[in-house]
Amino acid sequence: MNTLYIFLGMVGPWQWIIIGLAILLLFGGKKLPELMKGLGSGIKEFKKATHDDNEKADENKKVEDKK
């Protein structure tokens, strides 16, 4: 765990620029916005699903408390 933390702590602004350029070269300029849109919608759906699960758990707890 410490080695992972040290590795991630060593990533600076130039490394992020290099990573961004590598991603741009791999996927191209036209495909990148589509990938980011898909990533954003995936995160949105994940948050919605976790929120819905929390609401269902709260409802089940209230029903059990009434019994």
Side-chain angles (χ1 to χ4, degrees):
M1 181 67 183
N2 287 336
T3 55
L4 180 63
Y5 181 73
I6 291 170
F7 173 72
L8 292 176
M10 293 172 51
V11 178
W14 286 109
Q15 286 84 6
W16 286 114
I17 291 171
I18 292 171
I19 291 169
L21 289 174
I23 291 172
L24 186 61
L25 287 173
L26 286 173
F27 296 109
K30 291 184 179 181
K31 204 68 163 163
L32 201 57
E34 294 175 19
L35 290 171
M36 294 298 114
K37 184 178 178 181
L39 181 66
S41 64
I43 291 172
K44 188 185 296 184
E45 287 186 30
F46 178 76
K47 285 183 179 180
K48 182 181 175 186
T50 56
H51 182 69
D52 290 345
D53 289 343
N54 289 338
E55 286 181 357
K56 287 180 184 179
D58 290 341
E59 289 176 9
N60 290 338
K61 187 175 180 181
K62 288 179 184 178
V63 170
E64 289 178 4
D65 289 341
K66 289 182 181 179
K67 290 182 181 179

